[in-house]
Amino acid sequence: MATLSDIGLAAAINILSAFAFFLAFAILRIQPVNDRVYFPKWYIKGLRSSPSAKGAFVSKFVNLDLRSYARFLNWMPAALHMPELELIDHAGLDSVVYLRIYLLGLKIFVPIAFVAFTIMVPVNWTNNNLEHSGLTFSDIDKLSISNIPNGSQRYWTHLVMAYAFTFWTCYVLKQEYKIVAAMRLHFLASEQRRPDQFTVLVRNVPPDPDESVSELVEHFFLVNHPDHYLSHQVVYNANKLSGLVEEKKKIRNWLDYYQNKYERNPSKRPLLKMGFLGLWGESVDAVDFYTAKIERLYRDISTEREKITNNPKSIMSAAFVSFKTRWGAAVCAQTQQCRNPTIWLTEWAPEPRDVYWENLAIPFVSLTIRRLIVAVAFFFLTFFFMIPIAIVQSLANIDSIEKALPFLKPIIKVKFVESFIQGFLPGIALKIFLIFLPTILMIMSKFEGFISLSALERRSASRYYFFQFINVFLGSIITGTAFQQLNQFIHQSTDEIPKTIGASIPMKATFFITYIMVDGWAGVAAEILRLKPLIIYHLKNFFLVKTEKDREVAMDPGTIGFNTGEPRIQLYFLLGLVYAVVTPILLPFIIVFFGLAYVVFRHQIINVYNQEYESAAAFWPDVHLRIIVALTVSQLLLMGLLSTKEAASSTPLLITLPVLTIWFHRFCKKRYEPAFVRNPIQEAMMKDTLERAREPSLNLKGFLQNAYMHPVFKSADDEDIYVAMGEWEEEPSLISTKRTSKRSTPLSSKHGGSALSLPEAKH
């Protein structure tokens, strides 16, 4: 087992690593040649110009101001300087509320750590149970609950602290939920006009033999929302067209490059070799080659566009429907539209930036099958990942390495190497194993058919959290305990094994401390360095950048990555709440993570990240729920642990805690969650009234006209397709339906249409 000196050495390694990352960042960020890497957000906003565009030749690449190097840590106070309201205007509510998760960690764990070190650490330390237990342990384990003898009255201290920590956590959670809900409502009320405020997505439009999807949608909403329906846009399956347009953009970029090259030197036509990667083969005129390729793509795009226009199968049974008022949209999005609850399904439309257009082409009826397939695949992914987790845990045990690789014994017995293996290697190995997981989970979410980027990220985050809970937390505890106490398991009776596991679980704190230092300290420091984007930017800039547009693409600011960042934070909440009563020594390491991450990510949100969408903190109920789950798990584990400690008198009193915690969650869900899933009618009406008073001549149709048109139909080179794809109609009036059954009978059609017939149009 790792000793205090091993943990100290691991801490020193990670602190030095973090400091090295910060020092490298402080130097690299002030170099003119790196300005687009470390301040891309300001370039996107048009508020910053490249410092390499002016000055002497050397100063375009290297910062020659020596005084700026002395202020290498001034980015930290600068990151904290921007007020929260200004930060919301600058980066959006999603980013600000994401930062509040780190603040929430500090609010919960700083007071808990103070109480734990004041009361619980002395209670645990002043015992000698581990010395007589025959278990493998370290000095750190003497600070844990495992050091208290079975049946001791001291367990009452842990019981009281469990209640105190639970009540404090719930109090902070309630206050934060209340604040974030108020921030969301205020943000929505004060926000500028957005298309999604007036638009709903209707899915599973029933087929009709007499009317097209577009005509059927218009007819249905004219009848059922006659005073508020404004216009609609049907959803096309334009995935193939989208691929052709993307290819055309790339070819256009190459053509611009070679045309610019030819203009700089008109005496020499640029040539292109047709072999592998342009390294060999027949040489052709590059401008003529790419011009011909673009013309061919234009023909393909035109053919595909015509196919989409004329083929009814290209129109999906879904549409974006816009209303004259927010009130009308709110009523439609939050009510059942038809007697049959499986058709005419309405939901709030994501904001246009948030729409994941590829999934809108998936037939609604196939979504259930897709989600079943993904659920099975995720089950196997989660539980088969136990194998590499077991390998990682074996690395944390010197004895296991000696038995498997005896020839390494002289090396691994060196004090520094032993400390490195036990205090650093397991954490970095586990981090490497988890690198590709977010990509796999995002692919699964896309396959499931979610129609917005925010929903994709929230779904991936949920799965990532569950995966970490099963594999990183439970997997590390179970497999690590088996490796460390293998000799004890073999030579004891079966009924003693649960007690051994109960004593060993607190001692896994050593592994989690190393993981927190690697992932939470060095990992967060590496985040601000942006080494990968830095290298990729300069490689692209040297080899691939041909135009200014290429340079903007190469800049790649990235986003906060909710699908990976939030589950990682939740793992620290889980570890902190589980070990707060069991092994409090873990808490300072978690507090350092939350404090460091808050400063780093605040800097990144101000200067780097460019959010792809704005959900107005719709993810907060998920954050709250996962912390509640962590709190409940900590209570159940403590209950199980005390049951192995012969603390019969105190253990039953813990049963109340999970019950109270679940009741608290249900209270918060009823009280605050509606603000995140519904739009109050009162708020919608209030905003509509104010808008009519301030802008009585507002042309809402012009504002909404192309908001939910597929991006490939908005290309600057394809303006003619606006007409081809069917414009949003002028403000409709009641029209006669093409369905003959409607003219002769007031009854509903078998496809679920309205029972009302429409009068003939009067001209």
Side-chain angles (χ1 to χ4, degrees), residues 204-217 219-220 312 315-317 343-344 737-742 747-755:
N204 222 20
V205 177
D208 192 281
D210 301 314
E211 293 185 335
S212 67
V213 172
S214 182
E215 292 169 336
L216 189 60
V217 168
H219 170 234
F220 181 86
I315 301 177
M316 307 305 296
S317 59
I343 59 175
W344 294 106
T737 177
K738 293 182 179 179
R739 199 178 317 149
T740 56
S741 62
K742 293 295 179 186
L747 299 178
S748 299
S749 75
K750 64 180 179 180
H751 301 289
S754 169

Side-chain angles (χ1 to χ4, degrees), residues 193-199 321-323 325-326 329 691 700:
R193 187 186 311 111
R194 288 196 332 191
D196 53 292
Q197 296 170 345
F198 300 88
T199 308
V321 181
S322 290
F323 294 82
T325 62
R326 296 174 182 82
E691 190 170 73
L700 187 60

Side-chain angles (χ1 to χ4, degrees), residues 183-199:
M183 290 174 68
R184 173 180 165 86
L185 291 174
H186 180 267
F187 179 79
L188 293 174
S190 61
E191 195 180 21
Q192 295 298 316
R193 187 186 311 111
R194 288 196 332 191
D196 53 292
Q197 296 170 345
F198 300 88
T199 308

Side-chain angles (χ1 to χ4, degrees), residues 505-523:
I505 286 176
M507 294 190 286
K508 283 310 298 173
T510 302
F511 167 76
F512 288 122
I513 286 173
T514 63
Y515 180 77
I516 291 168
M517 288 189 293
V518 171
D519 180 71
W521 296 8

Side-chain angles (χ1 to χ4, degrees), residues 198 200 221 225 228-230 321-325 328-329 332 700 704:
F198 300 88
V200 302
F221 283 95
H225 299 267
H228 299 282
Y229 168 71
L230 179 64
V321 181
S322 290
F323 294 82
K324 299 175 184 177
T325 62
C332 181
L700 187 60
L704 295 170

Side-chain angles (χ1 to χ4, degrees), residues 17 167 258 296 313 354 377 382 459 519 569 701 733:
S17 300
F167 289 156
Y258 283 110
R296 188 165 59 252
K313 293 183 179 179
D354 193 18
T382 301
R459 184 66 163 185
D519 180 71
I569 303 171
K701 177 171 285 296
S733 57

Side-chain angles (χ1 to χ4, degrees), residues 20-230:
F21 287 137
F22 284 137
L23 184 62
F25 163 71
I27 295 172
L28 291 172
R29 70 186 284 268
I30 61 176
Q31 307 308 317
V33 72
N34 298 328
D35 204 58
R36 287 180 180 269
V37 178
Y38 293 111
F39 300 97
K41 188 158 194 169
W42 299 102
Y43 281 91
I44 293 171
K45 285 178 172 285
L47 300 176
R48 192 179 182 95
S49 58
S50 177
S52 61
K54 52 189 177 182
F57 179 77
V58 176
S59 63
K60 291 182 179 181
F61 301 94
V62 181
N63 188 344
L64 301 178
D65 183 6
L66 298 180
R67 290 175 297 178
S68 63
Y69 290 90
R71 302 187 297 270
F72 70 98
L73 287 179
N74 65 347
W75 64 269
M76 287 188 174
L80 300 173
H81 181 69
M82 184 179 287
E84 194 172 71
L85 290 177
E86 185 180 338
L87 188 56
I88 292 175
D89 291 335
H90 176 69
L93 186 64
D94 280 345
S95 298
V96 171
V97 172
Y98 180 81
L99 287 174
R100 291 191 70 93
I101 305 176
Y102 294 105
L103 282 179
L104 179 64
L106 293 174
K107 291 177 182 178
I108 290 175
F109 290 117
V110 169
I112 286 178
F114 176 79
V115 173
F117 274 81
T118 304
I119 299 174
M120 295 180 61
V121 169
V123 170
N124 294 338
W125 178 262
T126 54
N127 288 275
N128 57 2
N129 181 58
L130 287 173
E131 295 177 2
H132 303 94
S133 65
L135 296 172
T136 304
F137 67 94
S138 70
D139 291 339
I140 289 179
D141 299 323
K142 293 180 180 180
L143 301 175
S144 75
I145 196 173
S146 297
N147 200 34
I148 298 179
N150 291 348
S152 173
Q153 292 297 312
R154 295 193 178 200
Y155 288 120
W156 283 100
T157 305
H158 300 81
L159 176 72
V160 173
M161 289 296 101
Y163 269 87
F165 295 166
T166 295
F167 289 156
W168 171 251
T169 302
C170 289
Y171 171 76
V172 175
L173 276 176
K174 178 184 176 297
Q175 294 299 110
E176 197 66 20
Y177 213 150
K178 181 179 178 181
I179 292 171
V180 174
M183 290 174 68
R184 173 180 165 86
L185 291 174
H186 180 267
F187 179 79
L188 293 174
S190 61
E191 195 180 21
Q192 295 298 316
R193 187 186 311 111
R194 288 196 332 191
D196 53 292
Q197 296 170 345
F198 300 88
T199 308
V200 302
L201 174 64
V202 56
R203 307 183 79 178
N204 222 20
V205 177
D208 192 281
D210 301 314
E211 293 185 335
S212 67
V213 172
S214 182
E215 292 169 336
L216 189 60
V217 168
E218 182 179 49
H219 170 234
F220 181 86
F221 283 95
L222 277 172
V223 171
N224 296 290
H225 299 267
D227 297 327
H228 299 282
Y229 168 71
L230 179 64

Side-chain angles (χ1 to χ4, degrees), residues 488-504:
Q488 189 79 1
F489 285 156
I490 293 173
H491 295 94
Q492 68 183 186
S493 60
T494 307
D495 60 343
E496 292 294 317
I497 291 179
K499 294 182 179 180
T500 302
I501 295 177
S504 301

